[in-house]
């Protein structure tokens, strides 16, 4: 039975499937599992770790915890990507479960996270509950990137990046979903290695399912710790966004359309070797980013502001480049 109303839904009656897709998360998986286990209390919650072929001992760590942590299951995810991991777990274990909770192995979660999500789903009669993200860094570059991703310069005012909450939305960071809704739209599209959450949200909304962004809890996200890793991540994000727009024949929002100009502007600046004025658009973009960074340093007393502007520029360019590469059909090279 799928619960749809809080009038007769008690927390003890809810059966939840919690899925953690992971790949090489040996440093974080044990503390995360202990934390989730300690928080669930008397909730009927099956925890499934879907490992995508870790080479750092992650599966062994999880396997050793199975005797200690009740209702913990380890499965292999041959397709490696997160969308496939969730689909596989729901296919195997979701038949008699009411809700799906998705947990990122490289993130952190406040006390009562899962219980709050479930209560919000019941109280709001929501088909999906999404959360905001607080980005936190440790090393210098990671801290600067966190500043960028927490600012409008880096997130474009995205609600799940900008501290929104307490409202119905079209998209947000995936946290909880009714398994009936997940299955009704066919789950994640496994052709998406990135942006699979936004693509699924598009189908949910098209089928009149409702997405609630809670203001009562959030997740902590740790950004990439090097410029090259950040570039690769946002290149993939750009590709995913382009693929999503093409699949559903939709148009980008203004906050997405503006960064689209970055890659063409940077490429066009090469013409400055022949025509000096060709460098003007790139100079304006760079000046705007650097100016915002120095405003953060002076106006917000944030010493990472100037470096955050450089992180934002990497994000802008990589996202834009990925979008255009996908749109014009230049594919990534496959490695064996």
């Amino acid at each position: 039975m799928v619960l749809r109303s809080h009038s007769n839904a008690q927390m003890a009656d809810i059966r939840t499937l919690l899925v953690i897709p992971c790949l090489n998360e040996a440093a974080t998986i044990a503390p995360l599992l202990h934390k989730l286990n300690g928080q669930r209390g008397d909730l009927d919650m099956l925890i499934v770790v879907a490992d995508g072929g870790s080479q750092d001992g992650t599966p062994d760590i999880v396997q050793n915890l199975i005797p200690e942590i009740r209702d913990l299951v380890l499965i292999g995810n041959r397709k490696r990507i997160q969308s496939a991991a969730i689909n596989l777990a729901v296919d195997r274990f979701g038949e008699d479960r009411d809700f799906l909770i998705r947990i990122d192995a490289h993130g952190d979660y406040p006390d009562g996270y899962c219980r709050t999500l479930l209560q919000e789903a019941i109280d709001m009669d929501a088909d999906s509950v999404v959360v905001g993200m607080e980005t936190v860094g440790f090393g210098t570059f990671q801290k600067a990137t966190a500043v960028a991703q927490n600012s409008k310069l880096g997130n474009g005012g995205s609600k799940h990046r900008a501290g929104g909450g307490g409202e119905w939305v079209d998209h947000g960071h995936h946290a909880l979903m009714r398994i009936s809704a997940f299955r009704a739209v066919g789950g994640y599209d496994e052709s998406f290695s990135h942006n699979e959450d936004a693509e699924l949200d598009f189908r949910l909304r098209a089928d009149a399912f409702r997405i609630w962004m809670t203001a009562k809890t959030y997740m902590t996200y740790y950004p990439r710790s090097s410029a090259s890793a950040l570039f690769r991540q946002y290149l993939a994000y750009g590709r995913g966004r382009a693929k999503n727009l093409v699949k559903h024949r939709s148009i980008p929002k203004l906050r997405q359309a503006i960064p689209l100009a970055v890659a063409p502007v940077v490429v066009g600046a090469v013409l400055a070797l022949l025509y000096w004025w060709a460098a003007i658009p790139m100079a304006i973009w760079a000046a705007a980013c650097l100016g915002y960074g120095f405003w953060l340093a002076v106006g917000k007393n944030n010493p990472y502001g100037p470096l955050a502007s450089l992180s934002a520029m990497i994000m802008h360019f990589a996202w834009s480049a990925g979008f255009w590469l996908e749109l014009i059909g230049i594919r990534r090279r496959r490695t064996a």
Side-chain angles (χ1 to χ4, degrees):
M1 178 184 70
V2 177
L3 301 171
R4 291 290 302 178
S5 173
H6 70 277
S7 61
N8 60 359
Q10 300 298 321
M11 196 70 71
D13 298 328
I14 298 173
R15 306 196 72 208
T16 304
L17 172 64
L18 184 148
V19 185
I20 309 174
C22 69
L23 179 64
N24 295 324
E25 300 287 356
T28 60
I29 193 65
L32 177 62
L33 288 172
H34 281 299
K35 186 171 190 177
L36 293 171
N37 182 50
Q39 289 184 13
R40 66 180 167 178
D42 59 353
L43 293 176
D44 184 345
M45 181 180 293
L46 177 66
I47 300 176
V48 177
V49 177
D51 186 79
S54 296
Q55 300 297 315
D56 65 347
T58 298
D60 293 333
I61 294 172
V62 177
Q63 193 68 47
N64 291 335
L65 288 173
I66 290 177
E68 177 183 347
I69 298 177
R70 64 180 173 86
D71 295 331
L72 172 62
V73 176
L74 172 67
I75 62 174
N77 170 28
R78 293 182 178 180
K79 296 182 180 179
R80 299 174 67 87
I81 59 176
Q82 293 184 341
S83 56
I86 304 292
N87 286 349
L88 180 62
V90 171
D91 183 60
R92 289 191 186 180
F93 305 105
E95 185 62 35
D96 59 350
R97 299 273 158 181
D98 302 301
F99 290 101
L100 162 69
I101 292 179
R102 172 176 170 169
I103 294 290
D104 295 326
H106 53 273
D108 198 8
Y109 300 86
D111 292 341
Y113 179 78
C114 295
R115 191 175 292 271
T116 299
L117 294 177
L118 291 166
Q119 194 63 59
E120 282 283 81
I122 294 169
D123 291 345
M124 302 308 300
D125 195 20
D127 299 295
S128 175
V129 178
V130 297
V131 296
M133 300 170 66
E134 178 187 24
T135 310
V136 176
F138 294 101
T140 299
F141 182 81
Q142 198 179 40
K143 287 181 178 180
T145 301
V147 171
Q149 292 180 345
N150 286 329
S151 73
K152 288 187 177 181
L153 180 65
N155 63 44
S158 174
K159 289 181 178 179
H160 71 281
R161 288 280 193 177
E167 59 186 312
W168 298 102
V169 297
D170 293 330
H171 171 57
H173 184 79
H174 281 190
L176 174 146
M177 199 176 303
R178 292 182 188 272
I179 290 181
S180 57
F182 183 85
R183 284 181 158 167
V185 299
Y188 286 113
D189 183 339
E190 295 180 13
S191 69
F192 283 72
S193 63
H194 293 75
N195 208 236
E196 76 283 350
D197 52 352
E199 193 281 326
L200 178 56
D201 282 347
F202 188 98
R203 285 182 282 127
L204 284 173
R205 296 289 295 123
D207 281 9
F209 290 111
R210 303 192 303 164
I211 303 171
W212 174 255
M213 174 170 279
T214 178
K216 295 182 178 179
T217 193
Y218 63 94
M219 75 157 292
T220 299
Y221 173 78
Y222 302 109
R224 299 299 189 267
S225 57
S226 70
S228 60
L230 183 66
F231 180 88
R232 290 192 299 270
Q233 179 187 30
Y234 273 79
L235 190 74
Y237 282 167
R239 284 186 177 275
R241 177 57 65 177
K243 190 172 182 177
N244 192 359
L245 295 178
V246 169
K247 176 179 178 178
H248 296 292
R249 299 181 181 180
S250 56
I251 59 175
K253 296 179 180 179
L254 180 61
R255 66 177 179 82
Q256 298 164 343
I258 293 175
L260 287 181
V262 172
V265 160
V266 172
V267 172
V270 176
L271 293 175
L273 296 172
L274 299 175
Y275 308 102
W276 66 268
W277 46 263
I280 292 177
M282 179 178 171
I284 293 174
W285 165 65
C289 291
L290 292 171
Y292 192 96
F294 280 100
W295 173 78
L296 286 173
V298 177
K300 298 295 185 179
N301 196 29
N302 192 319
Y304 294 99
L307 187 55
S309 65
L310 298 179
S311 292
M313 291 172 72
I314 293 171
M315 291 153 54
H316 291 171
F317 176 68
W319 191 92
S320 180
F323 187 98
W324 289 112
L325 288 172
E326 183 69 26
L327 203 63
I328 64 180
I330 298 178
R331 305 299 178 187
R332 290 164 288 189
R333 290 186 301 174
R334 299 290 183 182
T335 56

